[in-house]
Amino acid sequence: MTTTLAGPAESTVHGRRVPTGAFIDGGWRPAEKTFAVLDPATGTTIAEVADGTPADALAALDAAHAARSRWQHVTPRDRADLFARAHRLLTERADAFAEVMTAESGKPLTESRAEFALSAEFFLWYTEQIAHLHGTYAPSSHGGYRVITTHQPVGPALLITPWNFPMLMIARKAGAALAAGCPVIVKSAKETPLTCALFVETLREAGFPDGVVNLVHTTDSAGVSAALMADERLRKVSFTGSTGVGATLLAQAAPGIINASMELGGDGPFVVLDDADVELAAQQAVVCKFRNAGQACVAANRIIVHSAVAEAFTTRFVELTELLTVGNGFDPGVDVGPIISARQRDSVLELVDVLHAAGAELLTGGSALPGAGYFFSPTVFRVPGRPEQLCSRELFAPVATIYEVASTAEAVGFANDTRYGLAAYVFTKDLSRAVAVAERLDFGMVGINRGIMADPAAAFGGTKASGLGREGGHDAIYDYLEPKYLALTVDEEEGLS
């Protein structure tokens, strides 16, 4: 709920000062309206942040457009120096970032620290890539001129970040865009705007020029995005979130031919073959399923187990699941924090009802926990057959579903039977078999004998309804660059006489 009272310029969250305004053209701006940021572990308000409007978003685009040429022509070395200064400031504030992340997202402090460390590594990767954006030089097909290919920034970029990984997403997106020479307008998730604010404030203190980085928080995501997408000055959109919203953004991008990168939903199959190391598979499945309370697009969505090891795997997986401690992310020893909101928790309860109706067998969990906050017990179901209401459905919850197959071919066929194509996982002791199966899986990423894959050097992204483009690796910065071809006339005889 919004209030018409102007909020303060900053709030104190877990002892950390965090800006709460919109950041436009180098300065923090309060707003007439604010909205509450809740701690999902308690349901209480921890901050009030500026509730931005489409007019605020367009002011941010004004600033980004004005800064475009200036930022594009900052030399690679000077840009890299800014990045290095920002990276140093980020690492000095690791504890602040982790604590604010836990306060607004609910994830355990250990997970927040790990997310921050990975985010800083992404930002460092882009720092190191800035001076290594190379073109090509070649003779033309029939002589007389040279074919020179270079790259130039695509232009102002709208970066729409999700709530489930608030630090990783902004570091990954903004790092690539800024390294390429694109000014940015960041639209944070209303559930977790504070981590974005800390990140942007750090870039400001590092010396990024006015207008190059802009941040708008809002409860009117659709209105803000639509206003920006309809403006011809916006040349790039990068979105992480649901496939439905991604499709809407792509439709909005079409009239202006806006360059689009989409990291969308997932239906990750976690395939355990008959020769798998069952203990390793069970341990990795717990991590892959219950990290961030299952609220991850790359989570194990369908655990597909060969019948030869199904009983052993299921028994061990349930045992490990029941060892998980649920609680406030600031408490020692907590493995699983709360669901992000009451609404999201209610959707998990509805999912459990769907599973029961489909004839699934509840092996552990299955209920919300009493008391303050939005906690849900880690849950495991054994699912018979292939219920239509569960196929191609992203669970996005601390709910694991186990399916049994009779062969590797059946496992691959079932894994691919989805509209999504983000992440898949294969467990087998046979390297040749692992490669053969991985090559047959229609997914952008495949983890082999591991349940976590994100790495700065890796191209992160999916196929089919899971998105377009890649974040990370050598591909990421080029998603914010356009090739430019120069035809240079050359007198082949010049200099020979």
Side-chain angles (χ1 to χ4, degrees):
M1 173 179 283
T2 60
T3 173
T4 55
L5 299 176
E10 63 180 30
S11 288
T12 300
V13 179
H14 204 75
R16 307 292 183 175
R17 296 170 63 186
V18 185
T20 54
F23 187 77
I24 299 172
D25 201 17
W28 291 100
R29 302 183 183 182
E32 290 187 359
K33 292 185 178 182
T34 64
F35 65 89
V37 181
L38 303 182
D39 176 355
T42 64
T44 59
T45 298
I46 57 174
E48 293 275 346
V49 303
D51 194 358
T53 65
D56 294 321
L58 291 174
L61 181 55
D62 289 342
H65 181 71
R68 174 182 182 175
S69 179
R70 183 172 72 255
W71 181 239
Q72 176 179 346
H73 291 100
V74 170
T75 66
R77 178 52 56 208
D78 287 344
R79 197 181 302 154
D81 286 344
L82 274 175
F83 264 69
R85 195 176 311 141
H87 179 260
R88 183 170 63 253
L89 290 175
L90 287 171
T91 55
E92 290 172 358
R93 300 170 185 181
D95 289 342
F97 275 98
E99 290 165 15
V100 169
M101 251 193 290
T102 290
E104 67 177 349
S105 74
K107 63 182 62 181
L109 195 55
T110 52
E111 287 192 14
S112 293
R113 287 172 176 151
E115 180 178 339
F116 175 82
L118 179 59
S119 304
E121 283 293 315
F122 267 98
F123 204 78
L124 179 60
W125 170 268
Y126 298 131
T127 303
E128 296 166 337
Q129 292 298 302
I130 290 171
H132 298 283
L133 301 176
H134 305 299
T136 61
Y137 175 93
S140 61
S141 299
H142 300 288
Y145 63 97
R146 298 295 179 264
V147 174
I148 302 171
T149 304
T150 185
H151 297 86
Q152 65 182 32
V154 65
L158 170 60
L159 312 179
I160 304 176
T161 62
W163 51 261
N164 55 341
F165 291 98
M167 179 61 184
L168 180 59
M169 294 298 101
I170 191 173
R172 200 156 69 182
K173 291 181 187 296
L178 294 170
C182 296
V184 301
I185 305 103
V186 179
K187 193 206 75 62
S188 66
K190 66 181 183 296
E191 296 86 355
T192 55
L194 304 175
T195 305
C196 282
L198 276 183
F199 179 83
V200 168
E201 173 64 9
T202 302
L203 298 193
R204 183 194 70 79
E205 292 183 30
F208 278 73
D210 294 352
V212 170
V213 183
N214 304 275
L215 171 64
V216 177
H217 312 299
T218 187
T219 57
D220 182 18
S221 295
V224 162
S225 297
L228 290 170
M229 296 292 285
D231 194 304
E232 64 181 10
R233 296 173 299 171
L234 187 75
R235 300 313 310 146
K236 172 76 179 183
V237 60
S238 176
F239 169 73
T240 297
S242 72
T243 298
V245 174
T248 298
L249 289 169
L250 286 172
Q252 292 173 344
I257 320 297
I258 296 172
N259 184 313
S261 296
M262 299 280 142
E263 199 260 280
L264 307 176
D267 182 16
F270 189 99
V271 179
V272 184
L273 298 179
D274 56 333
D275 67 337
D277 180 330
V278 171
E279 179 65 22
L280 174 65
Q283 291 176 359
Q284 290 294 299
V286 167
V287 173
C288 191
K289 175 70 259 183
F290 296 112
R291 181 174 64 118
N292 201 31
Q295 300 168 122
C297 54
V298 292
N301 208 56
R302 292 170 293 151
I303 301 176
I304 302 169
V305 189
H306 194 284
S307 57
V309 293
E311 194 59 40
F313 171 86
T314 301
T315 298
R316 185 56 178 151
F317 180 69
V318 170
E319 289 174 351
L320 292 173
T321 299
E322 291 177 340
L323 291 176
L324 296 173
T325 299
V326 180
N328 190 308
F330 286 108
D331 292 341
V334 167
D335 302 298
V336 180
I339 304 297
I340 189 64
S341 66
R343 179 181 178 182
Q344 188 72 13
R345 179 195 56 192
D346 291 344
S347 73
V348 179
L349 287 168
E350 293 172 2
L351 170 63
V352 168
D353 289 341
V354 170
L355 281 156
H356 281 302
E361 177 188 359
L362 178 64
L363 302 180
T364 190
S367 61
L369 301 183
Y374 315 126
F375 295 97
F376 203 94
S377 57
T379 298
V380 182
F381 278 94
R382 180 157 40 204
V383 184
R386 310 285 184 265
E388 183 178 345
Q389 61 270 47
L390 294 172
C391 292
S392 277
R393 174 172 180 163
E394 184 175 27
L395 303 182
F396 219 70
V399 176
T401 53
I402 300 177
Y403 299 82
E404 188 172 326
V405 293
S407 67
T408 300
E410 184 183 355
V412 172
F414 181 37
N416 286 336
D417 188 16
T418 176
R419 64 191 292 248
Y420 296 106
L422 186 57
Y425 307 87
V426 178
F427 282 76
T428 173
K429 295 177 182 176
D430 186 327
L431 178 60
S432 176
R433 193 182 197 191
V435 171
V437 171
E439 289 179 348
R440 286 169 172 78
L441 291 171
D442 297 332
F443 294 80
M445 302 176 288
V446 181
I448 298 174
N449 293 328
R450 61 181 298 111
I452 300 292
M453 289 187 282
D455 187 276
F460 188 101
T463 62
K464 300 186 288 187
S466 289
L468 304 167
R470 293 296 182 268
E471 294 183 331
H474 297 286
D475 305 90
I477 296 178
Y478 286 97
D479 263 7
Y480 294 87
L481 294 168
E482 292 181 318
K484 189 167 190 176
Y485 160 47
L486 308 179
L488 175 64
T489 298
V490 175
D491 184 344
E492 305 285 0
E493 304 301 321
E494 182 70 25
L496 298 181
S497 57

